[in-house]
Amino acid sequence: MSDRRRSVRLAAAVSSILTAPAVAVGAGLAIALAAAPVALAQETAAQVSGFVVGTDGQPIAGAQVEILHVPSGTTSSATTNASGQFSATGLRVGGPYRVTAKSEGHQDAVVEDLYAQLAQRSSVTLVAQPITQLAGVEVTGASERDVTIGAGSRFGAQEVSQLPSISRDIKDVVRLDPKAWVDPTNSDALEVAGVNNRYNSVTIDGVRQSDDFGLNNNGYPTQRSPLSVDAIEAVSILSAPFSVEYSAFRGSTINVVTKSGTNEFSGSAFYYKGDDGLVGDRSKDRDLTFIFEEETYGGTFGGPIIKDKLFFFTSYEKLDKVAPQEFGPRGSGFPVETGVTQAEYDQIIAIAQNVYGFDAGANRSATLPEDDEKILAKLDWNITDEHRASLAWQRTEGNEVITSNNSTSLNRISAPSNWYNRAILMESTSLQLFSDWNEWFSTELKLARKEVDTGQDSLFGTDFAEMQIRTLSGGTMYLGPDEFRHANALTNDLDTLKLKGNFFLGDHTLTVGYEREMLDIFNVFLPRSSGQFIFCPTSGACDGITAFQNRTARAFNYTNAFTNDSDDGAAIFGYDVDSFYVQDEWQVTPDFKVQAGVRMDKFSSSDEPPLNSNFATRYGFNNLETLDGRDLIMPRIGFNWQWRPETTIYGGWGLFGGGTPNVWVSNSFSNDGVVIVATNVSNQAPPAPATCAVPNPPLNCVLINIDGFDLPQFVLDAHAGQVGDGPVNAIDPAFEIPSQYRWNLGITHMLPWDIEMSADLIISRVKDEVLWQDIRLIQTGTAPDGRPIYAPRSAGCAPGTCATDTRSASTQDLLLTNTSEGEGTVVTVDFAKTWRTRAGRFDAYLAYGYQDIKDVNPGTSSTASSNWDNLATA
């Protein structure tokens, strides 16, 4: 498949407060200031580094440098080495910072209003003059330089607060990156550099808050954005970061750091309201009725507990929403153009009540309540000047009512009993400790835990089967619980440990790290475990309403554990990822830097699906494969060259991998063909009642005298007899962790009138990507145009070779495997300009992006069958 996309972004922002930076220089020192973004880890902290040299350009060893975070009084100290270099890590993101340099025989110097962005290093070069020279020397030539390694964008608290956002979503910030695309047709999925939205990584305060399991198109583990935008201190979106500290993504890594308390008490409050009075009521020649109302309110508050030592910050946001659930001619309360008329709808509702005794939702509710609550609490402790700790707790809970199977394009309409409530609760806690042990060694320790509980509950319960009734007017009516919600529950817990050390060795900074992630998953997903009856085939004229009234169906589908207890079909598994990495950052010259390293992610698990011996007999390998024993080695190298004072060139090459949705692994546990089996009776004429009036009736007798609440015992018995011979999802024994190579070449250049221009070229080539195959299919012929013709083994192979596979032709055995095909080219260019006036700060931004992406299977679904069946080919 191929996709080409061009995008143009234009943004402007204004601040009512003038924030022009000022540089104050003490006597006897000339200073050059450079803001130097570096892609450092999925970071929660900032770094400040630089040089102290004499007027002759020679380095000054032993100079004392103090870096003060002014709002909190947090101080970090460093000493220059023999090369005149210093570095301070584990600093708070934001600012302003004051950097003071002291050296024997020279006067002190102070640089004010230095701001440290997330995943950015601020570099200060100090040129020291002897103390005997005149005091009060003022430097007017302070310069800023960007030494970014790899493509990405960074946004501070001011940019976040200025950007307009109706949804108050983090994506409203990161979408300013021209490589990012928020797809309004796919639940606002964020696609970066043309890659599946499921392949992004999101971290907040050091806790990975991606959708680890892979069910949410928004990419979050929560129903909506997991964090209030008022709580954000900084955001970075990096699509080609060549630091080995980044992992678990093939699209981009999005990192968020929340605000912290300072020495001053401060807070904010907000309230937003919207309702149906603010929207239109007409579409072309149709009058429409929308009934909805939503309120969003909350605030922040933070300050000191002990001045200069201990601080707190809190944030709260609540959404109360009455969501619009339907539209139609004014006053009718009924969707239009669904292929089901109002009269047919009412008739089916009445039959469900009078014939089956089931309330399918006689009165369609026009509105249903939804809410979303976000809480953040954070403590920051300056233990000493050398050690700083941060503790953050986050709780986000929200729900959305899904009106499943309401589709005008598919001529479908559903009763409220077919709708469901999707509710997600997430809690996360992170503890981080940053330590500077001496001038050449610093460490970072992180412990984190995230718990996510997802429920998908039918509004009317799951005691009844799902009914699909096709009408003479060409539409389909759905009632009873949605087939995918009959048994559906999910929890996943993630524990994280990170230990990193930085060694400052002259012109080299050596980074060594170890990380461990421990993921545990409990997933119950048994579609149609309450039964599904279809009243009429999918094509041809059919009076499904009469069949529904006569309790006579044309098809029946039932999937469950062979015990007929859905709890026995739960997928319970987990795995660990141990990561080791080493990296050297070499400052070859003051204008040229090289960064090179390697990372290894190693997967381990003691959990296996139940053995399906029939599967092993048919294919010569078993279905027990998981991610256990697999690893991914990712080398990376990047550079940054300040070619001219106004021009910087950067780039790199590396392998990026991981981040694959775990639902694809869960499929192997949920569809082992042993515990979970399917019973299907389809496209058959209803049997004669006389043939069913026997002690052991044929299975197709389930199509007549339908009850809806209880399945006949002979159906349950037949289902139990299929143990060990159902459809299978398996992982290829040769499966490799998905990954892709990525090249980047970029340039930043300061144009006349202080317009900053940036341009990036990113080229991607697949090393190993996901692919699904139905291995039960074999080629049985060739079409006239040369295309192969396939059929299931039971229908098309030579006599004697299919004796072990007598299942129905619709049964699939799907294998998760790899492809080495796929590539992408992304080109972006953007321009930024800032005006600081007495009326405030004004920012303008213009960007253009071009993407040409080719893939074999986009992996846009959660189940193996959907990823196989719904694949469009070219």
Side-chain angles (χ1 to χ4, degrees), residues 170-192:
I170 298 171
K171 292 194 289 285
D172 289 335
V173 179
V174 301
R175 71 196 308 167
L176 284 183
D177 188 305
K179 292 172 284 297
W181 166 258
V182 178
D183 187 353
T185 66
N186 189 24
S187 304
D188 288 338
L190 177 64
E191 303 166 10
V192 183

Side-chain angles (χ1 to χ4, degrees), residues 108-119:
D108 297 348
V110 178
V111 176
E112 304 279 3
D113 290 327
L114 174 64
Y115 284 82
Q117 293 272 18
L118 180 61

